[in-house]
């Protein structure tokens, strides 16, 4: 075992308990083969049913309102 590997093991043992999940997640990223990334989301969007259809109109109205306030 190399000195660097031994140091890594010592560092892993020294990680505070509350930081273990973050450290483990970081190490998993290093050993996971590159490929498709996964994104985790806890948010839930809620809006009017036609919001996506009206998005351009909403943005235009907000820009017009901001310009008229200047």
């Amino acid at each position: 075992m190399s000195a660097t590997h031994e140091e890594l093991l010592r560092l892993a043992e020294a990680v505070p308990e509350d930081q273990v999940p973050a450290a483990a997640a970081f190490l998993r990223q290093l050993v996971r083969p590159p490929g498709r990334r996964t994104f985790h989301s806890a948010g839930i969007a809620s809006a009017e049913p036609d919001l996506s259809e009206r998005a351009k109109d909403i943005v235009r109205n907000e820009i017009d309102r901001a310009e008229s306030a200047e």
Side-chain angles (χ1 to χ4, degrees):
M1 189 179 313
S2 70
T4 305
H5 194 211
E6 289 176 8
E7 179 186 13
L8 179 61
L9 293 174
R10 278 195 310 275
L11 289 170
E13 289 293 325
V15 172
E17 190 65 34
D18 63 323
Q19 295 294 315
V20 168
F26 177 73
L27 289 172
R28 278 188 212 100
Q29 289 177 1
L30 294 177
V31 298
R32 187 175 295 155
R36 188 173 183 176
R37 295 184 68 179
T38 57
F39 295 94
H40 302 281
S41 175
I44 297 175
S46 62
E48 304 90 49
D50 65 341
L51 179 62
S52 63
E53 296 170 4
R54 298 184 313 112
K56 287 182 182 178
D57 294 333
I58 293 170
V59 171
R60 279 192 200 107
N61 291 339
E62 290 299 316
I63 291 172
D64 291 343
R65 193 168 70 176
E67 288 176 351
S68 66
E70 292 176 349

